[in-house]
Amino acid sequence: MPKCHDTFRIKATLPNELAMLNDLAYNLHWSWNFETIDLFRRLDRDLWEETHHNPAKMLGQIKQDKLAQSVSDEGFMAQMERVHSNLQSHLTRQGWFADKYEKFDSPQMAYFSMEFGLTECLPIYSGGLGILAGDHLKSASELGLPLVGVGLLYQQGYFQQYLNADGWQQEIYPDNDFYNLPIQPETNEDGTEVLVEVPFPDGAVFVKVWRAQVGRIPLYLLDTNIRQNNPERRRITYQLYGGDKETRIQQELILGVGGMLTLRKLGLHVSVCHMNEGHAAFMALERIRHRKDKDGLNFNEGLEVVKGGTIFTTHTPVPAGIDEFEPELAEKYIGYFLDEFGISREDFLGLGRKNPNDKKEPFNMALLALRTTAYANGVSRLHGEVSRKMWQSIWKNVPTDEIPIGHVTNGIHARSWTSSEMSELFLRYLGPNWLKKPADQSIWKRIERIPEVELWRIHERRRERLVAFARKRLIEQLQRRGANSSELEKAHEILNPEALTIGFARRFATYKRATLLLKDLDRLKKLLTNKERPVQIIFAGKAHPQDDEGKRLIKKLVHFARQDDVRGHIVFLENYDINVARYLVEGVDVWMNTPRRPMEASGTSGMKVIPNGGLNLSVIDGWWVEGYDTDTGWAIGAGEDYADPDYQDEVESKNLYDVLENELVPLFYDRNGDKPPRNWIAMMKSSMMKLGPVFNTNRMVQEYTEKYYIQAFDSWKNLSADQFARARQIAAWKQYIQANWKNVRIVNTFIEKREAEVGYALKINAEVSLGLIKSEDVSVQVYSGPLDIDRNIVNGMIDEMKNIEIMPEGIVKYEGYIACDESGQFGYSVRVVPKHIDMAGRFDLEMMRWINDSFELDFNSENSYREDVAVG
């Protein structure tokens, strides 16, 4: 095959009257605007489907006679002008951010993610992490945040899935045609394409920059598959999560370092960076390096500034899910950084190790992220707790509930995932503000006004559409495998558009337990084939190409679905993507989720059924810990944790059958003749009213803004003022504290009395030796609370002690109080922590000094008395 000598591009040409279509096609605002989607569908319905809902490709393939017909169609032209006006209004109107804070002339925040799930025709996502990132950008656009996105543009993206005749997953990797996607190359003022050079061990890698416009948010996508690179380097951005460890570290270097270099090349000097998972953690190192080159800061000074302006969101509840690299590999790719700063190899590698002194420990990207950011969070309340326990060893002396990892519970972009029919219903009964303020509880409360019959009719219509879609997809699957006419005929009749329909679609990782329902096949078959109350389940999802266990789960499901007595009641749809997900979440009655608690960090698939009237049936894990109530859905188990996973599966599978047989199925079929199921509809309404305003990304992005973005922006501004004077000061202060901390100790504590009545303020005194450290550089605190059976303080309360006397030999006397609010047995201890007004995180220095033991107290109105000693 002849090699290409040079390239040229053929662009679609449109009549002048239709020029607006280009604006609409290349702004992904259309992906959450039904009228714009309808406009392209109206242009050529068949071509819309053939191009996989890709307006950019569609405009390049459409016949000229179709365009001419559209120009003469007054209705089409009016609709085009209307949706174009809507887009311009979206781009120019002031949003929530500017109303609450201030308007910035240029973006101040950058959101880094390995994948973005925005629409099915831009396949640069694999699952929930990417869908969340895409929804984050959409909500940021609606809220008017001064934000940009940074990601990678994959030549093949994530694999497409099909099953062989035995039900075993196969993978294919079709190439993406970038010039027929709704993205465009970023260009310089002279029209040349923007290229960025990323330092690698054997010379720079060239990166081409593309832009996907997401409403008013630009998403910059980095591509190494260009002629300036050799074949090995061109392959860096071939596949999402493909290749080996070396490919992964190369991709993360392009994302983190290349992403920051790209923003600067484009003149975007952001103050705040947000890492969506630890893949982008090298970004912090590049920011530190830049501060040295531009402002002359040393490593520690640069680290202070960067920490203050960086947020890290972790999505992983188990250490095994985090990227780790052998020390030699990490040093190979970041060695230039060591040379720049003159810091030692071990000091650098220690940033990514639990024990910085363990030379055998691999380099962990989540640890690098935690040590280079001041703000970290999990993605649900439970995941925040799990993350604090998982990383507690970094802050060895800090109580678990004070570990500096918070949480912001995930959400979904409501407009992207709500069916057009349900959106129209909401407009009629909730008003137009449901589109503008999806996090407003008072608006969702109006769900109560929707007539039962009208809500049920729309829901049934969506179920019918899901069944039709599933039949069509299954027939395509069978034809591809060479099925006979008898099998194809049966496929036309699978599923019942009136039966209770359960959806289960997600990554087929083993911990998600897709086959939990197959534990008791006889019981399951009775449930599915009950003539009076039939049940049907639609499965979809991909296993990672290297996950044979996950592939076996798919095979097991497929083989069960082929059994004659359940055929037609259970279906597996191949190649799960945004399009398949949309049909499922809009059409199912129930979304089933069966992870092994507490391994589901959040999960967002079940959130997507909420605005569509679907209900959730889930293990109490991830977001469902916060979402579950008896009138919003059903729980599998009661939130128990198990040491034995096999026993857990046994118990929870039985509970799952019990809930289905005794609660869920009877409620769905509880009807008075042909009338809709009133009690079921009441639960639908309750779920929408209670959960709709909470589990959406507009609420989530507002929470990130209020909790982290603004604080990080202020921190960056303060630390960079006066030529980074405060950054230099705090870096020097930290070094001084670290050098002298060994001499800090609590000499004595004194309790006013061993027994107090409720309502009393019990005085505690402490004598602390600080050595060369000044008293204003520490916080001395009383830590008190009830005791568990091992005499550990639980749910501790903190009271700042006051410096009341400087004693001989450098000892400082402190005084504090414990509020005796309730009776019972309590304990206290005293601790010392470093304190500085510019320290972004309370425990940045990972230092805390406790007294060795503390006295138990008995706050009991009956005056019982104890004088035991407990460890604090």
Side-chain angles (χ1 to χ4, degrees):
M1 190 176 292
K3 279 282 187 185
C4 169
H5 171 66
D6 206 347
T7 62
F8 62 96
R9 183 182 181 187
I10 301 174
K11 297 178 67 175
T13 56
L14 296 171
N16 289 335
E17 298 90 336
L18 298 177
M20 291 178 182
L21 290 177
N22 257 326
D23 293 343
L24 295 169
Y26 283 94
N27 191 311
L28 291 166
H29 180 259
W30 63 258
S31 69
W32 72 92
N33 189 293
F34 289 119
E35 195 174 12
T36 312
I37 292 172
D38 182 63
L39 180 76
F40 285 111
R41 189 182 282 122
R42 181 175 178 177
L43 194 60
D44 190 326
R45 182 175 294 273
D46 291 338
L47 191 56
W48 175 254
E49 296 300 329
E50 289 169 18
T51 59
H52 205 46
H53 307 163
N54 181 349
K57 187 173 184 178
M58 186 179 175
L59 294 181
Q61 294 185 358
I62 195 166
K63 303 297 182 186
Q64 290 299 311
D65 62 331
K66 288 267 190 182
L67 296 175
Q69 289 173 20
S70 298
V71 170
S72 60
D73 183 337
E74 291 183 6
F76 179 88
M77 297 299 289
Q79 184 177 353
M80 180 185 70
E81 290 176 6
R82 186 166 61 250
V83 298
H84 190 268
S85 176
N86 288 342
L87 172 61
Q88 297 310 309
S89 174
H90 175 81
L91 297 178
T92 56
R93 72 169 177 262
Q94 183 163 294
W96 166 86
F97 184 90
D99 287 340
K100 182 157 186 179
Y101 299 103
E102 59 181 296
K103 192 169 184 179
F104 293 102
D105 294 330
S106 62
Q108 294 292 334
M109 307 157 190
Y111 182 85
F112 288 71
S113 182
M114 198 77 161
E115 48 176 303
F116 285 89
L118 292 155
T119 179
E120 55 266 33
C121 72
L122 188 57
I124 56 172
Y125 64 94
S126 72
L129 181 77
I131 301 298
L132 177 81
D135 284 5
H136 192 112
L137 296 193
K138 292 174 183 179
S139 285
S141 180
E142 289 185 339
L143 295 167
L145 264 69
L147 181 141
V148 299
V150 180
L152 300 182
L153 186 62
Y154 302 98
Q155 189 64 63
Q156 297 179 334
Y158 204 53
F159 70 92
Q160 292 192 17
Q161 174 202 55
Y162 72 96
L163 305 183
N164 67 16
D166 192 35
W168 188 259
Q169 174 181 291
Q170 306 289 303
E171 300 92 26
I172 52 175
Y173 293 88
D175 286 336
N176 289 320
D177 179 1
F178 296 162
Y179 290 96
N180 275 317
L181 292 177
I183 59 176
Q184 293 179 314
E186 196 67 18
T187 57
N188 298 302
E189 289 183 4
D190 60 2
T192 58
E193 294 180 343
V194 171
L195 287 181
V196 174
E197 297 181 42
V198 180
F200 263 52
D202 50 354
V205 172
F206 292 91
V207 176
K208 181 175 177 177
V209 183
W210 298 76
R211 176 166 48 85
Q213 193 65 38
V214 187
R216 45 182 142 190
I217 305 294
L219 167 60
Y220 297 106
L221 299 169
L222 312 182
D223 168 25
T224 67
N225 188 19
I226 54 176
R227 61 182 176 79
Q228 287 86 349
N229 291 324
N230 63 36
E232 184 178 336
R233 290 173 168 188
R234 295 181 69 160
R235 283 193 291 270
I236 293 173
T237 56
Y238 262 25
Q239 295 176 0
L240 171 61
Y241 304 137
D244 56 13
K245 285 278 190 183
E246 187 149 14
T247 302
R248 179 63 69 88
I249 199 172
Q250 290 172 341
Q251 288 185 342
E252 295 184 357
L253 201 63
I254 297 295
L255 175 62
V257 175
M260 284 310 305
L261 294 173
T262 296
L263 294 178
R264 283 192 218 110
K265 184 120 186 195
L266 298 174
L268 302 173
H269 300 284
V270 297
S271 304
V272 175
C273 290
H274 183 176
M275 306 178 205
N276 188 39
E277 207 28 283
H279 306 124
F282 290 139
M283 165 262 290
L285 301 183
E286 169 54 29
R287 296 184 83 189
I288 296 170
R289 186 204 63 78
H290 181 64
R291 297 270 66 90
K292 171 183 176 288
D293 282 0
K294 187 172 183 293
D295 305 298
L297 302 188
N298 64 33
F299 175 79
N300 290 320
E301 294 164 348
L303 178 60
E304 289 307 317
V305 183
V306 169
K307 272 181 122 173
T310 312
I311 297 105
F312 167 49
T313 295
T314 174
H315 293 258
T316 311
V318 289
I322 295 166
D323 284 341
E324 290 188 336
F325 302 111
E326 289 305 311
E328 295 74 21
L329 189 61
E331 185 182 7
K332 174 182 175 181
Y333 282 95
I334 306 296
Y336 76 93
F337 183 83
L338 306 183
D339 297 337
E340 285 262 347
F341 280 98
I343 63 173
S344 75
R345 174 184 188 271
E346 295 310 321
D347 282 348
F348 162 68
L349 293 175
L351 290 170
R353 289 170 169 162
K354 282 189 176 182
N355 178 1
N357 300 316
D358 183 355
K359 297 182 179 181
K360 295 181 181 178
E361 192 178 329
F363 188 82
N364 182 296
M365 293 298 285
L367 285 168
L368 175 63
L370 285 169
R371 288 207 172 101
T372 54
T373 57
Y375 314 99
N377 70 281
V379 288
S380 69
R381 188 173 67 213
L382 177 61
H383 182 232
E385 295 171 10
V386 170
S387 298
R388 287 189 286 276
K389 291 175 183 174
M390 188 163 82
W391 299 114
Q392 188 172 15
S393 62
I394 304 176
W395 298 276
K396 292 178 181 175
N397 292 322
V398 178
T400 306
D401 60 350
E402 289 189 86
I403 297 295
I405 301 175
H407 81 274
V408 175
T409 301
N410 283 346
I412 54 114
H413 183 250
R415 290 183 69 177
S416 290
W417 295 103
T418 306
S419 73
S420 57
E421 295 92 339
M422 196 66 80
S423 294
E424 290 170 8
L425 187 71
F426 288 169
L427 280 172
R428 286 202 300 276
Y429 291 98
L430 278 61
N433 272 341
W434 100 265
L435 296 170
K436 299 173 185 176
K437 299 178 180 179
D440 189 328
Q441 293 191 351
S442 65
I443 293 171
W444 286 89
K445 185 68 178 169
R446 298 171 194 163
I447 292 281
E448 197 66 70
R449 303 175 184 176
I450 301 175
E452 292 178 357
V453 174
E454 204 167 343
L455 178 61
W456 189 246
R457 185 165 62 238
I458 284 177
H459 181 64
E460 286 199 305
R461 198 179 306 151
R462 291 306 316 184
R463 192 192 314 115
E464 289 166 8
R465 199 167 302 178
L466 168 60
V467 168
F469 172 78
R471 288 173 176 173
K472 181 172 179 278
R473 287 293 289 253
L474 186 61
I475 290 166
E476 291 171 357
Q477 292 171 202
L478 291 171
Q479 287 174 332
R480 197 163 45 243
R481 291 202 292 269
N484 58 42
S485 57
S486 172
E487 284 183 286
L488 292 172
E489 191 63 34
K490 289 177 182 176
H492 282 281
E493 298 175 357
I494 62 137
L495 303 178
N496 177 353
E498 296 181 356
L500 170 62
T501 305
I502 298 173
F504 182 102
R506 56 196 23 86
R507 283 189 304 116
F508 265 66
T510 51
Y511 80 86
K512 291 182 182 283
R513 299 190 298 180
T515 56
L516 188 67
L517 202 56
L518 272 59
K519 279 281 184 182
D520 188 335
L521 294 182
D522 290 336
R523 201 170 174 184
L524 176 57
K525 287 178 180 180
K526 287 178 183 176
L527 191 68
L528 296 174
T529 60
N530 185 312
K531 291 183 179 180
E532 300 297 321
R533 304 189 305 191
V535 177
Q536 56 198 17
I537 309 174
I538 303 176
F539 287 90
K542 297 176 178 178
H544 188 277
Q546 297 171 8
D547 182 7
D548 284 349
E549 285 300 313
K551 292 181 181 181
R552 288 189 188 97
L553 296 180
I554 294 174
K555 179 180 174 181
K556 186 175 182 180
L557 277 172
V558 170
H559 279 244
F560 176 70
R562 290 175 181 172
Q563 294 182 19
D564 289 337
D565 50 352
V566 295
R567 189 187 297 268
H569 291 272
I570 187 164
V571 172
F572 184 91
L573 299 181
E574 296 176 5
N575 206 32
Y576 183 46
D577 67 357
I578 288 176
N579 188 43
V580 175
R582 192 178 293 116
Y583 276 95
L584 283 168
V585 300
E586 291 177 3
V588 297
D589 299 296
V590 176
W591 195 262
M592 184 171 67
N593 187 34
T594 55
R596 182 172 286 120
R597 177 186 160 103
M599 297 182 72
E600 185 82 288
S602 175
T604 57
S605 56
M607 299 176 189
K608 298 178 179 73
V609 303
I610 294 166
N612 292 294
L615 298 172
N616 277 274
L617 164 65
S618 176
V619 170
I620 301 182
D621 195 11
W623 76 278
W624 196 230
V625 174
E626 300 159 64
Y628 169 67
D629 205 341
T630 52
D631 61 349
T632 59
W634 294 271
I636 302 167
E640 301 93 344
D641 292 322
Y642 294 85
D644 182 349
D646 293 331
Y647 178 66
Q648 181 177 4
D649 292 354
E650 189 67 31
V651 170
E652 292 183 342
S653 66
K654 288 178 180 177
N655 184 243
L656 174 56
Y657 293 125
D658 289 341
V659 171
L660 287 167
E661 293 167 348
N662 302 325
E663 300 177 41
L664 197 154
V665 176
L667 187 70
F668 182 82
Y669 287 104
D670 178 18
R671 310 185 187 191
N672 184 4
D674 293 333
K675 292 183 179 179
R678 296 193 62 182
N679 293 330
W680 184 277
I681 295 170
M683 188 176 275
M684 288 170 64
K685 286 187 173 185
S686 182
S687 170
M688 287 191 277
M689 287 189 293
K690 286 186 174 182
L691 308 183
V694 179
F695 296 101
N696 66 76
T697 43
N698 284 51
R699 182 275 310 159
M700 181 191 82
V701 172
Q702 286 178 343
E703 193 173 338
Y704 272 115
T705 302
E706 293 166 346
K707 204 169 182 177
Y708 298 123
Y709 291 169
I710 295 301
Q711 194 173 343
F713 177 76
D714 289 342
S715 176
W716 178 274
K717 190 164 62 174
N718 291 336
L719 290 169
S720 60
D722 300 323
Q723 299 181 330
F724 298 90
R726 296 177 84 157
R728 298 177 199 272
Q729 181 188 46
I730 191 171
W733 175 85
K734 281 187 174 180
Q735 287 180 300
Y736 183 82
I737 296 295
Q738 287 169 326
N740 292 284
W741 189 254
K742 61 182 179 294
N743 295 319
V744 173
R745 61 190 179 91
I746 300 167
V747 180
N748 282 308
T749 64
F750 305 92
I751 185 167
E752 179 186 2
K753 53 184 177 179
R754 300 294 177 82
E755 176 182 289
E757 295 181 351
V758 172
Y760 189 77
L762 187 64
K763 185 166 70 174
I764 306 291
N765 287 110
E767 294 175 355
V768 181
S769 176
L770 296 174
L772 296 176
I773 294 175
K774 298 176 182 178
S775 60
E776 58 264 32
D777 290 334
V778 298
S779 172
V780 179
Q781 303 164 347
V782 180
Y783 185 84
S784 63
L787 300 174
D788 63 17
I789 59 171
D790 296 318
R791 295 185 180 177
N792 295 311
I793 297 172
V794 293
N795 302 319
M797 299 294 291
I798 301 163
D799 183 76
E800 187 89 11
M801 302 183 79
K802 292 181 180 178
N803 174 351
I804 61 169
E805 183 183 350
I806 305 295
M807 302 173 68
E809 299 180 6
I811 292 175
V812 184
K813 189 173 183 180
Y814 289 84
E815 180 178 278
Y817 291 87
I818 299 172
C820 306
D821 293 330
E822 57 183 289
S823 64
Q825 194 176 45
F826 291 74
Y828 86 95
S829 189
V830 175
R831 68 187 191 183
V832 186
V833 293
K835 180 181 72 173
H836 193 286
I837 191 171
D838 290 325
M839 194 160 64
R842 281 193 302 157
F843 306 124
D844 264 8
L845 283 170
E846 301 174 20
M847 292 175 171
M848 182 178 286
R849 180 80 75 226
W850 294 82
I851 191 167
N852 287 333
D853 44 30
S854 66
F855 292 99
E856 278 186 12
L857 311 176
D858 200 0
F859 300 158
N860 193 312
S861 57
E862 296 180 2
N863 296 324
S864 62
Y865 179 75
R866 289 191 56 146
E867 193 176 337
D868 297 340
V869 174
V871 175

